[in-house]
């Protein structure tokens, strides 16, 4: 077993996550200011409704470009913020975008209807028939509304990820249509050479970021590393580990705690992408994922054969030692959530306490490896078993196991219910939020 030592806990005044968030806020604020200046320079119409509609359209275009940046999966942002939080921001920006574009259409139509005397419906039809680019804008809005409808939580829970993802791809068609509408009908777009150059640059950066992070980088890495399954090892009746090898894996920028979107290129699985964490720290020779059979896709991993080609997107995630703030660490795992925790323990230095929460000892996947690692690194290991109630990780129980919990970084990975309960316990015990690290797998289109 190769143990990779992480660097000491960072002492920089500005943490990576804070720096990345501040950078995103600054980019959005600066572009909002630029758009506002160009909007004012273009002049105002005599009709206040049309002015409001144009402003809503411009800020909607800016939000659309910002949304693309959030889901571009750029490594620098992903390692510092995490795909789960970027996806959450993408979701809320998306709903803001939807209402901004609805306001754009409503104000523009009502403004022109007030001037022409037509009713709003006939005015919209007239604009679509007579003004270049308006029909494309209407189609773009319809596509965005459809994507917004299937992204609502009630609808999202009923759809398979692949189905939702396919529908979500229509967002890119909406982006192209909206941009062509802006080029054709946007007075601010052509108000000055500087404004034209700005908007072309903004959309080029946004779409280029998506192409780089979602297409070019994954294709390049998979071409370079040529990943294949090297072994499939059952851990128990429900859990299997898949070992993956390839070329030049020492040059793959993966860290313990991160995950990949894995596609195993068999006739029945090539189209399925599943997010699975690394269950061992990358050693430059192999990658390992350990998966519980929770559905047809993960259960089928047991039938993989050595030599099967693998297409992996990643590495993704901010659940790494990059965000450490303290010398000592508490690692808490629930069930198969032990996989990134086990990888982190292999990489960490300093004193560590590991808590593995399971229903029964039989469910303690990778426990023998955890015990060996803990002994080798001088870490404390606690296997906590029993039913959900009473809560074995309630504040008083957690304080008993780890009296100095408030002086440690805490890495937490487990089922949503357990994660929420432990977070409440940590807050009650006074653990600062900056010392708590957890990540939810949440994929965006």
């Amino acid at each position: 077993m190769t143990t990779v030592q992480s660097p000491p806990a960072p002492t920089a005044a500005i943490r990576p996550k804070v720096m990345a968030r501040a950078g995103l806020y600054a980019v959005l604020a600066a572009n909002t200011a630029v758009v506002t200046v160009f909007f004012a320079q273009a002049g105002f119409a005599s009709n206040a409704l049309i002015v409001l509609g144009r402003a809503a359209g411009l800020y909607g275009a800016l939000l659309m470009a910002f949304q693309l940046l959030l889901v571009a999966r750029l490594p620098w942002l992903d390692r510092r913020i995490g795909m789960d939080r970027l996806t959450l921001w993408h979701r809320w920006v998306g709903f803001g975008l939807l209402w901004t574009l609805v306001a754009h259409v409503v104000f523009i139509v009502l403004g022109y209807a007030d001037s022409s005397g037509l009713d709003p419906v006939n005015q919209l039809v007239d604009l679509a028939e007579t003004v270049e680019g308006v029909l494309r804008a209407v189609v773009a809005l319809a596509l965005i509304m459809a994507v917004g409808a299937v992204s609502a939580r009630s609808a999202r829970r009923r759809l398979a990820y692949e189905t939702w993802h396919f529908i979500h791809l229509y967002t890119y068609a909406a982006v192209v249509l909206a941009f062509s509408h802006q080029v054709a009908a946007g007075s601010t777009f052509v108000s000055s050479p500087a404004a034209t150059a700005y908007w072309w640059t903004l959309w080029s950066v946004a779409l280029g970021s998506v192409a780089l992070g979602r297409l070019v980088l994954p294709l390049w890495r998979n071409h370079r590393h040529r990943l294949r399954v090297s072994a499939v090892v059952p851990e128990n009746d429900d859990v299997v580990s898949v070992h993956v090898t390839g070329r030049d894996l020492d040059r793959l920028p993966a860290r313990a705690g991160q995950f990949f979107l894995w596609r195993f290129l068999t006739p029945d699985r090539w189209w399925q992408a599943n997010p699975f964490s690394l269950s061992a720290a990358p050693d430059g020779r192999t990658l390992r994922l350990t998966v519980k059979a929770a559905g047809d896709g993960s259960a089928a991993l047991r039938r993989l054969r050595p030599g099967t080609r693998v297409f992996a997107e990643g590495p993704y995630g901010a659940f790494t030692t990059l965000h450490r703030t303290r010398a000592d660490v508490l690692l808490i795992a629930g069930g198969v959530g032990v996989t990134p925790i086990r990888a982190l323990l292999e990489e960490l230095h300093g004193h560590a306490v590991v808590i593995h929460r399971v229903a029964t000892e039989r469910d303690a996947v990778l426990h023998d490896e955890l015990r060996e690692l803990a002994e080798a690194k001088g870490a404390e290991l606690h296997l906590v078993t029993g039913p959900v109630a009473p809560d074995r990780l309630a504040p008083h129980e957690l304080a008993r196991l780890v009296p100095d919990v408030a002086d440690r970084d805490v890495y937490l990975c487990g089922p949503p219910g357990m994660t929420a309960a432990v977070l409440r316990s940590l807050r009650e015990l006074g653990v600062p939020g900056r010392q708590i690290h957890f990540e939810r797998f949440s994929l965006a289109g």
Side-chain angles (χ1 to χ4, degrees), residues 134-346:
V134 171
L135 181 58
R136 295 194 290 271
V138 173
V139 174
L141 179 60
L143 290 174
I144 291 173
M145 292 179 70
V147 171
V150 301
S151 296
R153 293 189 186 278
S154 57
R156 179 69 183 87
R157 284 195 292 264
R158 293 182 173 86
L159 293 174
Y161 171 74
E162 288 78 16
T163 303
W164 174 83
H165 183 264
F166 178 78
I167 297 173
H168 212 78
L169 291 176
Y170 282 102
T171 302
Y172 297 109
V175 169
V176 173
L177 291 170
F179 178 61
S180 66
H181 161 69
Q182 188 180 18
V183 172
S187 58
T188 304
F189 191 91
V190 296
S191 62
S192 70
T196 302
Y198 166 79
W199 284 109
W200 275 107
T201 301
L202 177 72
W203 285 108
S204 296
V205 169
L207 291 170
S209 296
V210 172
L212 175 64
R214 304 291 292 266
L215 185 64
V216 175
L217 196 54
L219 287 175
W220 162 246
R221 284 179 175 168
N222 280 274
H223 172 74
R224 180 182 192 179
H225 298 297
R226 304 293 178 93
L227 301 176
R228 291 184 181 273
V229 173
S230 59
V232 179
V233 180
E235 302 291 350
N236 61 28
D237 293 342
D238 300 321
V239 178
V240 63
S241 288
V242 179
H243 297 253
V244 176
T245 189
R247 302 187 311 183
D248 301 327
L249 291 187
D250 58 316
R251 304 181 71 175
L252 180 66
R255 299 187 64 162
Q258 291 190 300
F259 67 96
F260 288 78
L261 301 181
W262 302 92
R263 295 178 190 268
F264 297 94
L265 305 184
T266 61
D268 60 333
R269 285 189 52 84
W270 64 268
W271 51 276
Q272 290 183 320
N274 295 106
F276 298 133
S277 294
L278 297 174
S279 60
D283 60 7
R285 300 185 303 275
T286 61
L287 303 172
R288 187 183 74 171
L289 56 145
T290 301
V291 183
K292 184 176 182 180
D296 293 339
S298 52
L301 295 181
R302 191 178 294 268
R303 300 191 296 273
L304 286 174
R305 295 182 177 181
T308 300
R309 289 290 304 274
V310 181
F311 188 93
E313 299 175 51
Y316 298 127
F319 193 66
T320 69
T321 58
L322 176 67
H323 302 282
R324 285 184 65 184
T325 65
R326 298 287 180 171
D328 296 334
V329 180
L330 168 61
L331 305 173
I332 305 176
V336 79
V338 73
T339 55
I341 294 296
R342 182 253 180 254
L344 281 169
L345 178 60
E346 187 176 356

Side-chain angles (χ1 to χ4, degrees), residues 63-81:
L63 285 178
M64 189 177 291
F66 189 65
Q67 245 203 334
L68 292 175
L69 181 64
L70 291 177
V71 292
R73 297 180 185 168
L74 298 177
W76 191 87
L77 280 178
D78 184 82
R79 285 196 299 267
R80 287 159 176 79
I81 296 177

Side-chain angles (χ1 to χ4, degrees), residues 3-26:
T3 302
V4 181
Q5 296 291 334
S6 65
T11 58
I14 303 178
R15 293 179 293 126
K17 186 179 297 185
V18 173
M19 183 182 299
R21 285 181 176 178
L24 278 178
Y25 296 154

